[in-house]
Amino acid sequence: MKWRKRQENESEIVIYDICNQPLSFLSSISQLPKTTHPFLHSRFCNFDSIMGTAAAAVEISEPLLQQDEAAPVDLDEPIPDWKEQITIRGLVVSAVLGALFCIITHKLNLTVGIIPSLNVAAGLLGFFSVKSWTSFLTKLGFSTRPFTRQENTVIQTCVVACYGLAFSGGFGSYLLSMDEKTYKLIGEDYPGNRAEDVKNPGLLWMMGFIFVVSFLGLFSLVPLRKVMVLDYKLTYPSGTATAMLINSFHTHTGAELANGVGDSCGFDNFPTFGLALFNNTFYFDFSPTYVGCGLICPHLVNCSVLLGAIISWGFLWPFVSSKAGDWYPAGLGSNDFKGLYGYKVFVAISLILGDGIYNLIKIIYVTVKEMSTKRQSLPTITEVIDSNTSKLLLEEKKRDEIFLRDRIPFWVAVAGYVCLVAVSMSTMPLIFPPLKWYLVLCSYIIAPALAFCNSYGTGLTDWSLASTYGKIGLFIIASIVGSNGGVLAGLAACGVVMSIVSTAADLMQDFKTGYLTKSSAKSMFVSQIVGTAMGCVIAPLTFWMYWTAFDIGSPDSPYKAPYAVIYREMAILGVEGFSELPQHCLAICTGFFVAALAINLLRDLTPKNISQYIPIPMAMAVPFYIGAYFAIDMFIGTVILFIWERINRKEAEDYAGAVASGLICGDGIWTIPSAILSIFKVDPPICMYFKPSGSS
């Protein structure tokens, strides 16, 4: 496929490119960081050649993920109106599945504290629920309306929004850390741990709190949905895999999904490279999800993740660990912020903020410049399309048109956010008296920037670091309020930030799914609002079931709620001040923050043939905090794709996305029976683990 300038004697004028974007907008996009957003400059043509004066035709590189081939659709397929995509049966199924997933999420949250993505399972169970419903009614002689991929997507979006609040609502973390049991568990004489900073769970106030904070995230990033999905071409691996699964259910030629591999007691923690590297989290954990992410994500993202793992777990953390007893007290727990854990969290935050803030400022700058300058005349172009690419271009153009057709006005997003902020400012101090209205306002001012950072990072790596961003709000507000209520105010602020950034990332993930299934963006937004409203009621009710039936938070209970103590200790640390952090922590964080800014600037200033090899700081940051094991998984995925492309590039482009989605879907579907087995305490009969042969 080639582009060429229109000759003076030609009459046709083509204003729009393959994504139906005005060339003036492409001009502004060309000013964005090259290769900072891997899909942008691989998906579009060479902007420097087109926007310049060169008359020669330029090649357009093939997309890294052939979305349209991976999820084939009929160009003549009728697309229902956005209102018809939201049905009563869909909402009923969403409520039932939302309650089921909330129960599962609470169970995992109160036991191990780790919540897997259930997006794929939501799409699968939504399909089978409605299909079973319609089949049953058909057998009884009733006529039923067709079940479309758009309705399936709406159900999945609604369920994800509902059960997402079981995590971001803090029922196993910041809300639970406010209760009297956690206060006593830490110690009544523990410095900074005050009886005044206690608020026991209550059904009504928890519902009110969730209602107040959960909807803000939906309005914070709506104006950027086009930038994140169409312009940056962010992958959102779980969203992409879910869309391909849904499309395969609703087409006759959908891609066959590979079978996933379930958990394995021994091989989840297999010392692939020896025990020394295993102790530094360098091992292959046989996770189909992250191998699949490696197949979907660009090579640059995967290599950036691995580079971050090597820098952090290969050099930095072993070096810092060697300073135990010098830089920080030796013998501290693995989650103590006064030790190595403090370095991990704050260095990762520094990299994330440096990258996110740079790109956010870049977007604002380009947008303001484009709006304030007069549109200049540009060389008009037309495209020369061969028969092999015309169908793909038409399919992508159709998706773009559908995604942009039902617009969500900018004023709706701004007005909704401002109104919700006003409501929150008046109600939050009633629930948490130490959290004054001006502190609530400050939280909502910084939250959209953090939401952008989290959504951008989630689109690259499929990791949502909502809890990490929540800790930023926790430390800032706790340190501002001080000893007189700072613990309670910090924990509440953590909930505000965490809810917003988590909901915003979920919304963008669902926008990606909706884009690939040709669903209306407006129906996605409305279903997210409906699902959030469901979650505001269902999530507290299902938690209350656990709270009244079990001894939550007790060290002797199966529901130990491990993160409750951690979050309260973090709030206490925030009250005591950042001076309590280990030695040189702030200096190291400053260095990595500046490094993130410098790397992005370097990617902007260098030619494309150089910048395409410069790593992405946002992707590098995730293993600093999480560990190196998933970087190994993703790198194996990218190596498989690299070799596949060398053997048969066309086949790799056609099927890599389907294979990746099969791995992600299979692993995600196994989450449901795995969680059910865990709820009923069904454990493997034997467990294999590894240790040095000379140890006892």
Side-chain angles (χ1 to χ4, degrees), residues 566-626:
I566 294 173
Y567 272 78
R568 189 170 186 90
E569 286 184 341
M570 284 191 294
I572 294 172
L573 178 63
V575 170
E576 297 295 319
F578 289 100
S579 60
E580 294 294 317
L581 288 174
Q583 191 177 3
H584 303 303
C585 182
L586 290 181
I588 295 174
C589 292
T590 302
F592 275 95
F593 180 83
V594 173
L597 296 176
I599 291 172
N600 275 295
L601 186 61
L602 186 64
R603 292 159 59 82
D604 250 356
L605 299 178
T606 54
K608 184 181 178 182
N609 61 338
I610 298 176
S611 63
Q612 63 181 334
Y613 298 110
I614 300 177
I616 303 171
M618 181 73 74
M620 293 173 60
V622 179
F624 272 73
Y625 174 64
I626 301 297

Side-chain angles (χ1 to χ4, degrees), residues 226-293:
K226 178 178 175 294
V227 173
M228 306 291 267
V229 176
L230 292 186
D231 301 334
Y232 279 15
K233 299 288 182 184
L234 293 175
T235 319
Y236 291 103
S238 290
T240 299
T242 304
M244 296 173 74
L245 179 71
I246 291 174
N247 281 333
S248 71
F249 288 151
H250 294 272
T251 57
H252 297 295
T253 58
E256 294 184 2
L257 300 176
N259 291 322
V261 181
D263 294 334
S264 175
C265 183
F267 288 97
D268 282 348
N269 296 279
F270 185 78
T272 319
F273 310 110
L275 289 173
L277 288 175
F278 175 79
N279 292 331
N280 283 327
T281 71
F282 281 97
Y283 59 90
F284 177 49
D285 70 345
F286 296 88
S287 170
T289 293
Y290 294 112
V291 174
C293 288

